[in-house]
Amino acid sequence: MVDAIGFEGLGVNAWLIWMTPFIGAAFIPLLRKKSEKIKSYVAVGFSLLSAFLALSILPIGLSNGDIHSQIPWFSALNLEAGVLADPLAIIMSNLVAWISAAIFVYSVSYMHKEKSLIRYWFFMLFFIGSMQLIVLSDNLLMVFFGWEGVGLASYALIGFWYQDRKKDYVGKEGHTAWGIPQWTSPTHAGIKAFLLNRAGDIMMLSGMFMIFMYAGTFGFRELLADQTWAHEMMQQNLLVPAAVLIFGGAIGKSAQFPLNEWLLEAMTGPTSVSALIHAATMVKAGVFLVARIGPLFFALSVFNMQQFFEIVAWVGAITAMLLATQALVNPEIKKVLAYSTGSQIGYMMLALGIAGLSTNFVDGYTAGFFHLISHALFKASLFMAAGAILHTVHSRFMNDMGGLRKNMKKTYIFMLLASLSLAGAPLITSGFWSKDAIFASILESNYEFSSYLFFIAVTVAVMTAFYTFRMVGLVFFGKPSQNVTNIENKGHHIREVNQLMWLPFAVLAIASIAIGLVGFAFEGQLHHLFSVYLATSFGIIEGGEIEPLATASENEDVAVQPQQQAEGHAEAQDALELNPLAVIAAVTAFGVGGFLGYLFYIKRAADPTKINDNVVSKALWKFLYNRWYLNSLLYWLGVIIPLGFYRRVNKYFENILMYGINPSVQHSMVFMSKVAKAAQSGNVQTYLYVFSAGIILITLLLLS
């Protein structure tokens, strides 16, 4: 462990990992008169600097050390700001930093000649700075600041093309379900993402402050050190609700059911943004939050936190199934990948939930985080490859593609490698091993409903393999579509994108296969790392036992340090073994789903459109294509019905009762609106003064 006060030693590096992108974001607007190349290279430079800073502390994480650095913050409330770079945070920080850097390099070419480049680079840097703040913060309050920063940046980047040109929409024009349009403009998509995330954020904020009321701290280590707060909350039946409310924030950010509907419309942003959101940042923030607080709540298992972990597991399982079924029928390449992201994150949540329901917490925990690493690599690669294809064929629909493997050989090869990892090709891909680990953790959990969760997990794996081969087949195999033929007839030959675009997704695809080739050994090392980490930091050892954290005895000349004791526990365990049933299930799922996808969309031995000739299959296809009608239900319950109610209130209450009968009410309302209007001066400094005055007033009230 490396403890630091303020900006000292290696603590500086940990602070600068998240501060550097923010500094870059502040610096980028100063380059508005510079050339496009300078703007892009400076942005890439800041992302790489943050990545190298993350790399500099990686050896500490891999040796199971950590950096904990704090500085004074709100002294009146006894709050400190700090970074906690433990093994979990260090690995996640490197994953975020290096995948983001690859996407930044890709963006140099992808966003070439974009007029709003300053705005793009500002929010991209702001995005990764906020994500790194989430990862490295040592307390919930700082996490929430990063949480909101990610939300703001995602809103701006999803709606980046705010002119709402038809070519920037997602969905098929004219497609409606229950009278609700299923094709969306960038600005509408940005607002939708913002509002649904705010619903989750409100829950998260409520849970945070419930805990703060009893604990008097937001700090992760402080919450574990003194568990009196948990005992008091449990006596009032508030502990599990507070934990579930915090999980609500993760549901929103990671687009889990029932707050999943924003994720599909997020495809209105540039493909580089989609890669960033779906691979290493925003949607992974929710998974990371659960990975951060999960061990804390498991360490409080004496207070019976099983209900919390059951909710996490079942939300993940339901989301995985729900979104995988929709990916089976969607015609847009980015939407298929978006459905896949939500579904695969459901896998991660399922694993983290099953960890808390298992006698071996570390098994599910390792499986969930292993899949997070695996998914980040192959999904970033897939999105960037999809962007290369869109860049070439000028269409987001897969039926406007076809036969592209002859003209885009590099994109085909590397997208195929990443697709195999998503589908879980046995033995050679990281996706296979991480799914196998999840299957094994479910089977070995002894949870009473584990058989149902296992069935869902395997079924989703079959569907994943099918829609992955469907995507590859529609894009790269068969005859060129009419759209491709028209492009070539106009003299615009379909050709490979430049090296600056294909190299980043090539590296990530190869990395996914490289990890797959040593997948079981990689999983074993990760399992050992987390075994020591969980035992050292939380007292969680194999067998589901919770031991008091060891401290050095003052009466001994040679004290046994916590990490040494934890390593002893880890080494005492048997070596990680393959679960035969999990392996068979993973291989079978790939075989069944992959074979059907190959048969229909690559070999073209049968016409899949003929399946819809009967009434039942046609109704099922329509049900899935219309997103289980959940999106329509969301608009009816959240927008149309409330608006109808408010319009009637306005018509029959305000206009008649308030304004018609009692004119004084109307005059008072007009006066108040004039006062409010006068306060809206448009001067940012004025707003800051008022905001500061409000903060001071609240602080004084808290101190009184």
Side-chain angles (χ1 to χ4, degrees):
M1 182 189 298
V2 179
D3 285 298
I5 301 173
F7 299 97
E8 295 179 359
L10 287 172
V12 175
N13 294 36
W15 284 95
L16 288 176
I17 290 169
W18 66 265
M19 293 175 69
T20 297
F22 283 128
I23 295 169
F27 183 72
I28 281 291
L30 302 177
L31 304 176
R32 62 185 181 278
K33 294 183 180 180
K34 301 296 182 180
S35 67
E36 176 184 312
K37 184 178 292 187
I38 291 176
K39 297 171 188 173
S40 298
Y41 286 2
V42 168
V44 171
F46 274 104
S47 71
L48 285 172
L49 178 57
S50 178
F52 278 111
L53 286 165
L55 187 64
S56 71
I57 63 172
L58 182 60
I60 294 174
L62 296 180
S63 62
N64 242 298
D66 61 47
I67 300 169
H68 190 203
S69 172
Q70 292 183 316
I71 59 173
W73 195 12
F74 292 118
S75 56
L77 298 176
N78 197 29
L79 296 179
E80 293 181 316
V83 293
L84 176 58
D86 55 12
L88 173 70
I90 290 172
I91 294 173
M92 186 68 181
S93 179
N94 274 274
L95 196 67
V96 170
W98 287 105
I99 291 181
S100 298
I103 294 170
F104 271 53
V105 172
Y106 172 88
S107 297
V108 173
S109 181
Y110 187 82
M111 299 300 289
H112 180 52
K113 294 184 179 180
E114 173 60 50
K115 294 181 180 179
S116 303
L117 207 56
I118 287 288
R119 180 160 51 90
Y120 174 81
W121 287 125
F122 172 85
F123 280 111
M124 290 288 277
L125 285 164
F126 190 87
F127 207 140
I128 62 172
S130 298
M131 183 64 193
Q132 293 286 24
L133 178 58
I134 292 172
V135 171
L136 292 165
S137 294
D138 78 334
N139 64 83
L140 280 168
L141 189 58
M142 281 183 67
V143 166
F144 192 76
F145 277 103
W147 203 261
E148 294 303 288
V150 166
L152 173 62
S154 66
Y155 162 73
L157 290 169
I158 291 169
F160 180 76
W161 286 312
Y162 60 86
Q163 300 90 345
D164 285 350
R165 299 166 297 191
K166 290 292 178 68
K167 71 184 186 70
D168 298 324
Y169 278 50
V170 294
K172 186 176 181 181
E173 186 173 357
H175 175 210
T176 61
W178 287 356
I180 304 298
Q182 302 298 300
W183 58 299
T184 312
S185 69
T187 54
H188 185 94
I191 292 170
K192 185 175 182 179
F194 186 83
L195 291 176
L196 286 179
N197 271 273
R198 295 295 75 71
D201 295 353
I202 290 170
M203 288 190 284
M204 179 180 174
L205 198 61
S206 301
M208 284 168 48
F209 277 102
M210 283 174 66
I211 290 176
F212 181 76
M213 285 175 62
Y214 286 87
T217 180
F218 293 105
F220 297 121
R221 287 191 163 171
E222 290 81 356
L223 289 171
L224 184 64
D226 183 359
Q227 299 179 12
T228 306
W229 62 274
H231 180 73
E232 293 176 355
M233 292 187 75
M234 197 63 195
Q235 285 183 326
Q236 300 185 38
N237 296 317
L238 291 176
L239 184 58
V240 172
V244 172
L245 283 170
I246 293 176
F247 177 58
I251 289 175
K253 277 289 182 290
S254 290
Q256 299 293 282
F257 178 80
L259 300 178
N260 58 283
E261 290 301 327
W262 68 266
L263 191 64
L264 289 306
E265 278 77 7
M267 297 301 98
T268 56
T271 304
S272 50
V273 171
S274 302
L276 194 66
I277 289 176
H278 287 255
T281 57
M282 188 166 178
V283 292
K284 294 294 196 305
V287 181
F288 179 80
L289 178 65
V290 177
R292 173 60 85 193
I293 64 173
L296 169 64
F297 289 129
F298 188 78
L300 303 176
S301 57
V302 67
F303 303 115
N304 189 17
M305 296 298 293
Q306 180 171 335
Q307 288 178 306
F308 166 73
F309 289 104
E310 279 189 299
I311 291 170
V312 173
W314 281 102
V315 165
I318 291 168
T319 306
M321 175 68 80
L322 176 70
L323 297 185
T325 59
Q326 296 176 53
L328 296 173
V329 301
N330 201 276
E332 298 177 60
I333 186 170
K334 285 176 65 177
K335 273 197 170 184
V336 169
L337 293 175
Y339 280 120
S340 172
T341 293
S343 179
Q344 297 302 302
I345 287 177
Y347 263 139
M348 300 169 208
M349 292 295 191
L350 169 57
L352 293 174
I354 209 70
L357 301 170
S358 172
T359 54
N360 292 322
F361 183 88
V362 68
D363 290 351
Y365 193 81
T366 301
F369 202 81
F370 185 14
H371 199 56
L372 184 152
I373 295 171
S374 175
H375 181 266
L377 294 172
F378 65 67
K379 189 52 66 69
S381 181
L382 285 169
F383 264 110
M384 287 190 278
I389 294 166
L390 268 63
H391 194 78
T392 304
V393 302
H394 309 295
S395 174
R396 61 185 180 272
F397 293 98
M398 291 184 289
N399 55 11
D400 285 336
M401 301 169 192
L404 295 180
R405 74 185 190 280
K406 298 177 182 178
N407 305 90
M408 304 181 71
K409 294 181 180 179
K410 293 185 180 70
T411 298
Y412 164 63
I413 290 171
F414 297 122
M415 191 169 187
L416 179 62
L417 293 178
S419 295
L420 288 173
S421 204
L422 169 60
L427 305 178
I428 62 168
T429 64
S430 62
F432 170 79
W433 293 110
S434 57
K435 287 179 185 177
D436 167 75
I438 292 173
F439 293 169
S441 67
I442 297 171
L443 289 170
E444 297 167 5
S445 66
N446 296 322
Y447 174 51
E448 59 181 324
F449 299 115
S450 61
S451 58
Y452 299 104
L453 291 175
F454 181 71
F455 174 78
I456 292 173
V458 174
T459 304
V460 170
V462 173
M463 291 190 287
T464 302
F466 176 81
Y467 68 65
T468 302
F469 275 81
R470 170 179 176 263
M471 176 184 68
V472 171
L474 288 173
V475 173
F476 294 108
F477 289 83
K479 296 180 180 179
S481 67
Q482 187 62 49
N483 174 60
V484 171
T485 303
N486 291 339
I487 291 173
E488 291 185 331
N489 289 340
K490 293 177 182 178
H492 303 292
H493 297 294
I494 303 295
R495 58 169 61 93
E496 188 61 78
V497 292
N498 63 52
Q499 186 174 0
L500 204 59
M501 283 186 69
W502 66 257
L503 192 57
F505 64 77
V507 170
L508 295 177
I510 292 170
S512 182
I513 298 298
I515 291 176
L517 293 174
V518 294
F520 189 62
F522 183 89
E523 181 191 348
Q525 290 298 314
L526 198 63
H527 187 277
H528 176 78
L529 180 71
F530 282 138
S531 294
V532 177
Y533 163 66
L534 292 170
T536 304
S537 300
F538 301 95
I540 300 172
I541 62 173
E542 294 284 345
E545 299 177 27
I546 308 295
E547 286 196 351
L549 295 179
T551 57
S553 173
E554 295 179 356
N555 299 322
E556 294 177 348
D557 294 329
V558 180
V560 179
Q561 297 301 319
Q563 183 169 326
Q564 293 173 323
Q565 187 179 31
E567 288 174 347
H569 285 304
E571 291 171 0
Q573 303 305 315
D574 294 331
L576 189 67
E577 297 180 356
L578 284 173
N579 183 301
L581 183 56
V583 174
I584 292 170
V587 173
T588 303
F590 174 80
V592 174
F595 174 74
L596 292 174
Y598 171 81
L599 190 68
F600 284 114
Y601 295 100
I602 295 180
K603 189 178 180 181
R604 309 288 174 111
D607 185 1
T609 59
K610 291 184 178 180
I611 297 176
N612 289 337
D613 288 346
N614 66 77
V615 177
V616 176
S617 60
K618 190 174 183 178
L620 178 60
W621 183 91
K622 184 178 180 181
F623 177 73
L624 297 179
Y625 184 56
N626 287 332
R627 300 159 67 167
W628 290 45
Y629 295 96
L630 292 175
N631 188 56
S632 302
L633 187 65
L634 173 68
Y635 277 87
W636 275 103
L637 296 180
V639 180
I640 296 175
I641 292 176
L643 278 178
F645 173 75
Y646 296 141
R647 287 186 180 120
R648 280 161 179 74
V649 169
N650 175 265
K651 181 177 180 180
Y652 297 109
F653 180 72
E654 292 189 12
N655 288 338
I656 296 176
L657 294 179
M658 292 182 66
Y659 297 156
I661 297 176
N662 191 353
S664 62
V665 175
Q666 180 180 3
H667 294 316
S668 63
M669 291 294 178
V670 170
F671 174 76
M672 290 171 63
S673 66
K674 287 181 178 179
V675 172
K677 182 179 179 181
Q680 306 302 312
S681 63
N683 190 322
V684 177
Q685 287 183 327
T686 302
Y687 298 156
L688 289 174
Y689 290 143
V690 174
F691 179 76
S692 300
I695 291 294
I696 293 170
L697 180 61
I698 292 172
T699 303
L700 291 173
L701 289 172
L702 289 172
L703 293 173
S704 61

